[in-house]
Amino acid sequence: MKGIVLTAMDDEIYEVLSDNEIFADLFNGALFGGNQIIRPDMLEQENEKKVMRVGKEGGRRVILRRIRDVQKLSGLRERCLAVVLAAEGQRNVHYAMPVRCMLYDAMDYTRQVERMVKKRREEGKLEKGAEYLSGMKREDRLLPVITIVFYYGEEQSWDGPLCLHDMLDIPPELEPWAACIQDYRVNLVCSGTVESSHFRTGLREVFELLPLLKDKEGMKEFLKTRREEFMHLDAKRGWLVSKFLNVPALKDLKENEKGEVNMCTAIEEMLVEREEQGIEQGEMRVNQLIEVLLRQPGQKEIYEEIRRAVTDREYQKKLFDEFGI
């Protein structure tokens, strides 16, 4: 039986992640075991646009430009910025994600160095030698950068690389010294890597429901066991869930909506609508297949083809693939 087709729009997901309460909850629940290390009031919006000069090519300066999905600065001590937090939302698996995250983080660190060097140069207090050469003092430190990859795809099965080494073709001769080859690990966040109880916002329900997107009967059973809770779900939690599952009945909910929503009824209606859409799409595909077969030369053979296509599901699937339907 077919599952639910996820149609959440990426720009809506980025809007959700820009909310300080949800952004903080995402990091606290996914990385810090539910401990409230990051508070919403600690967060400051950071420019997601990244620009870095990487040299010259053909006499022309080469500028590298990238845009993160959502990035914020956070203080861990009173009135002191201490960490750069970034979230990359992924609806599909990205097979170069370790390199992508590494590049984003490198651009953030490079920008910090450039700002620090500019400040030190303007102060004019650098000693000759190492300080003057690097533009930094030995005690200067950078803010750590933490990037997470939030995978909300309907499959919830990430089959891509999780670190740079997964992408490398390391020669057998170098395998004993693989540790000498720098690695870069992805902080993957999906239903299979987190504990839903660690989240305090509607992300808890999101991570509970995401694994059930491809399991219609499982979704029904889950709602049956949690019916009372989901019939009286806080409106903002319902708003958050609706963004990821694209629940039609809740599409008009606002971020700051007050009161409760009946998530059970909303999702049940969505399941019925998805099933009807699936049946309709299946009928359209069969009709298309018959039209294609009728256009083929040879009437007797066509009749046999149509009869087999209608009665033999495996053969029908083969024809769907053959004709691109």
Side-chain angles (χ1 to χ4, degrees), residues 49-250:
K49 295 181 180 179
K50 310 297 171 189
V51 180
M52 185 171 70
R53 295 182 294 275
V54 294
K56 292 186 177 181
E57 182 177 317
R60 300 179 62 182
R61 178 178 294 176
V62 177
I63 305 294
L64 190 61
R65 291 181 172 86
R66 292 291 187 274
I67 301 178
R68 278 195 187 272
D69 290 343
V70 184
Q71 179 165 317
K72 296 179 184 288
L73 295 171
S74 176
L76 297 179
R77 298 181 297 277
E78 193 67 28
R79 301 175 63 183
C80 180
L81 293 175
V83 64
V84 178
L85 304 173
E88 295 298 314
Q90 284 298 128
R91 187 152 49 117
N92 298 300
V93 175
H94 195 304
Y95 293 120
M97 187 53 73
V99 171
R100 179 178 171 186
C101 290
M102 182 173 63
L103 176 59
Y104 284 154
D105 292 355
M107 293 179 78
D108 277 322
Y109 285 125
T110 299
R111 185 177 59 165
Q112 289 189 55
V113 170
E114 289 176 344
R115 287 178 175 175
M116 190 171 292
V117 168
K118 181 180 180 181
K119 179 182 177 181
R120 291 302 190 190
R121 299 284 189 205
E122 290 174 348
E123 291 174 347
K125 297 180 180 180
L126 294 171
E127 301 289 339
K128 292 182 178 180
E131 285 190 2
Y132 191 82
L133 178 66
S134 62
M136 296 174 61
K137 291 182 173 294
R138 183 174 61 182
E139 62 270 20
D140 287 338
R141 294 293 182 269
L142 307 177
L143 300 180
V145 178
I146 303 177
T147 298
I148 64 174
V149 175
F150 185 6
Y151 176 50
Y152 54 91
E154 60 191 79
E155 295 293 340
Q156 280 299 284
S157 178
W158 182 276
D159 64 353
L162 289 174
C163 65
L164 183 60
H165 275 202
D166 289 344
M167 297 180 64
L168 302 181
D169 184 11
I170 301 176
E173 297 83 357
L174 290 181
E175 286 181 358
W177 296 277
C180 299
I181 303 172
Q182 295 296 335
D183 201 358
Y184 207 84
R185 185 174 60 85
V186 171
N187 290 316
L188 180 67
V189 177
C190 63
S191 59
T193 66
V194 301
E195 175 56 58
S196 62
S197 62
H198 290 167
F199 298 91
R200 298 189 175 188
T201 68
L203 286 173
R204 173 177 297 186
E205 287 76 20
V206 168
F207 284 115
E208 288 175 334
L209 295 171
L210 275 175
L212 302 174
L213 287 174
K214 302 292 285 186
D215 182 4
K216 181 180 174 181
E217 294 305 317
M219 177 73 80
K220 289 182 177 179
E221 186 62 30
F222 174 81
L223 292 177
K224 181 179 179 181
T225 59
R226 301 274 293 279
R227 194 166 189 82
E228 185 62 27
E229 175 187 344
F230 275 80
M231 283 180 64
H232 304 282
L233 196 65
D234 176 77
K236 183 170 183 178
R237 300 175 87 92
W239 168 80
L240 180 54
V241 172
S242 73
K243 293 298 183 182
F244 284 90
L245 273 65
N246 194 29
V247 184
L250 304 177

